[in-house]
Amino acid sequence: MSRQPPAPPRGARSQRTRSSSRFRGWLRHHRAMCLASARRLLRAPIGSLLTMLAIAIALVLPAALWLALDSARLLDAELEESATLTVYLSHGVDEAQAGRIDEAVAAHEGVARTRLISAAEGMAEFQQALGLADALGRLEDNPLPVSIVVMPLDPAPEAVRRLADSLESLSGIDEARLDLAWLERLRHLAELGSRLVLALAVLFGLGVLLIVGNTIRLAVESRRQEIEVVMLIGATHAFVRRPFLYSGAWYGLGGGLLAWGLLGLGNQWLSVPVSALAASYGATFALPRLGPEGSATLLLCSTLLGWLGAWIAVSRHLAEVRPR
């Protein structure tokens, strides 16, 4: 009687097959729950739209303040480029001495470039600025000193202040005055605005969590018996929680899209009067837009907030569900 050869071991192959099958089943369930939660929201379009609109309103204000702060940063950068020092020379300095002092200032560390203004040029600019050419023209002597306009390499207020103190120690210089000393105040206001936007973003983010959490809580209560049945046959909390998480993500994504649309409409509505106001001051200014990165950030944050709000609500209520 011939003996049959032993069968080859199939444990590793069976394990790989079971693992891949479970993974494919997990993906199929995620895809099914994603589509089913979207269809469930579409079956109640008015209620879903109202929830998404509430989320959008909670997102619009911090996003609009962030855009305003971004435009303030652009203005701050432009002011930094125009930050200058005015160095006033001592009275009695002639043109030759003024030229040598200008060369010494230009060679000083931290100075990008200089412009020498004679006393006559300074008086002409002063008359043009004030419109008092006739009255100032009757003065017998020119009271204005020779000055040097200095463009610093580092426009930061601290660096410009150190440069002013250093230039005042040079011979022939009477005073170094910072023309944009209020730039530091503007930076303090920008920092205050950043903290305000952060605080409002956290506050309204909590509002989004409450909106989504309350909506998902009502959905859990309406399907309480269904949840109890599937838990009786062995469904895990993750299995039960999955459709509600996708619903929360859909709410957040829809609210983010509505907020993006509201911001675009607001930009179009305000762009014409803002441009007209800037033109009346002889300047050009355009309201900032979100752009691709800002839009992606807004949609990602809104979707994550919706998902997190649903997770908190479902986890809290699943802990209270006891199958009977």
Side-chain angles (χ1 to χ4, degrees):
M1 181 176 181
S2 60
R3 299 177 61 185
Q4 294 181 354
R10 297 182 180 180
R13 182 178 301 175
S14 301
Q15 181 65 29
R16 286 196 299 267
T17 302
R18 287 195 297 270
S19 298
S20 61
S21 299
R22 283 199 299 267
F23 181 70
R24 286 194 298 269
W26 180 80
L27 287 179
R28 283 196 300 269
H29 187 256
H30 270 274
R31 183 167 56 249
M33 292 300 99
C34 180
L35 296 176
S37 60
R39 287 193 294 267
R40 190 179 296 273
L41 265 62
L42 292 176
R43 283 198 293 268
I46 302 300
S48 301
L49 182 61
L50 290 177
T51 301
M52 293 177 184
L53 187 59
I55 295 173
I57 293 174
L59 294 173
V60 162
L61 183 57
L65 288 177
W66 180 72
L67 287 176
L69 185 64
D70 190 56
S71 63
R73 291 194 190 100
L74 294 177
L75 178 61
D76 184 43
E78 293 178 0
L79 291 175
E80 283 185 351
E81 294 178 358
S82 61
T84 56
L85 273 172
T86 302
V87 176
Y88 296 100
L89 306 188
S90 303
H91 286 281
V93 174
D94 55 25
E95 294 184 2
Q97 293 175 334
R100 288 193 295 270
I101 295 174
D102 180 49
E103 293 176 357
V105 171
H108 195 277
E109 182 182 2
V111 175
R113 61 181 181 273
T114 61
R115 182 170 70 91
L116 181 65
I117 301 177
S118 64
E121 291 173 347
M123 177 58 72
E125 293 180 1
F126 190 58
Q127 290 174 348
Q128 184 179 3
L130 296 181
L132 300 175
D134 296 336
L136 296 177
R138 297 174 184 174
L139 296 176
E140 297 180 358
D141 298 325
N142 187 351
L144 297 181
V146 181
S147 60
I148 301 173
V149 177
V150 178
M151 176 67 69
L153 286 174
D154 186 0
E158 298 80 7
V160 176
R161 188 178 295 109
R162 290 194 299 268
L163 179 61
D165 296 337
S166 178
L167 292 178
E168 285 183 347
S169 62
L170 296 179
S171 177
I173 294 180
D174 185 38
E175 182 184 4
R177 182 171 298 175
L178 177 63
D179 293 343
L180 293 179
W182 49 274
L183 182 61
E184 188 172 7
R185 299 193 189 104
L186 181 62
R187 289 195 171 185
H188 290 321
L189 288 175
E191 182 180 358
L192 176 62
S194 299
R195 298 191 178 188
L196 179 62
V197 169
L198 179 60
L200 288 177
V202 172
L203 181 63
F204 284 99
L206 292 176
V208 172
L209 293 180
L210 292 176
I211 293 170
V212 176
N214 186 64
T215 304
I216 297 300
R217 181 184 65 82
L218 295 177
V220 172
E221 289 295 333
S222 65
R223 300 171 61 183
R224 189 183 187 94
Q225 293 182 350
E226 177 186 345
I227 293 173
E228 291 178 352
V229 170
V230 296
M231 291 182 69
L232 278 174
I233 60 177
T236 62
H237 281 191
F239 184 90
V240 175
R241 189 162 44 219
R242 197 164 294 151
F244 299 105
L245 294 183
Y246 276 110
S247 296
W250 283 120
Y251 279 127
L253 179 61
L257 289 173
L258 287 177
W260 180 80
L262 290 175
L263 288 172
L265 290 176
N267 187 285
Q268 293 293 331
W269 186 49
L270 295 175
S271 60
V272 174
V274 168
S275 299
L277 179 62
S280 65
Y281 286 95
T284 57
F285 181 76
L287 290 175
R289 299 176 180 271
L290 277 177
E293 294 183 1
S295 302
T297 302
L298 176 64
L299 296 179
L300 179 61
C301 290
S302 62
T303 304
L304 288 177
L305 284 173
W307 180 89
L308 181 60
W311 189 87
I312 294 173
V314 178
S315 298
R316 178 169 171 264
H317 285 78
L318 283 181
E320 301 174 357
V321 172
R322 295 291 182 269
R324 295 186 294 269

